[in-house]
Amino acid sequence: MGLRAYLMVNCKDDVKHEDFRKAILDLEDMIEVDFVDPVVGNCDMVIMVEAAVSVEKVARQIAANEWVENVAILKIVSIFERHRTSKRELLKALQREKEEVLT
């Protein structure tokens, strides 16, 4: 398994419906793209990508399209690694509290 991320893409305001539809179909043809979902909200589409080496490279490739306003990358991290980091921070904080109580 490679590196995975969600890309939040904003399109330029002047993109026509047919061009937007073609952009989605073109993105779905990319090997690194798992899926493309048009959305309403902070961005115009969410793209799930998996890259062997760099999700940033895929994001730059997508951002190079003339219809793209900007691309934000949300890297997917392991829940276990995130949990370990959170647990370490909690244990450090508890240790500091314990030391403060003893002094």
Side-chain angles (χ1 to χ4, degrees), residues 4 76-84:
R4 296 184 307 148
I76 298 172
V77 296
S78 163
I79 186 83
F80 301 110
E81 182 60 35
R82 186 131 177 145
H83 174 71
R84 273 191 294 254

Side-chain angles (χ1 to χ4, degrees), residues 35-69:
F35 64 82
V36 181
D37 285 327
V39 295
V40 175
N42 292 334
C43 62
D44 297 309
M45 64 177 75
V46 175
I47 306 168
M48 202 307 208
V49 299
E50 184 169 352
V53 178
S54 170
V55 295
E56 289 84 359
K57 181 179 178 185
V58 177
R60 284 192 303 272
Q61 185 178 357
I62 291 170
N65 288 289
E66 77 260 357
W67 51 267
V68 174
E69 182 72 31

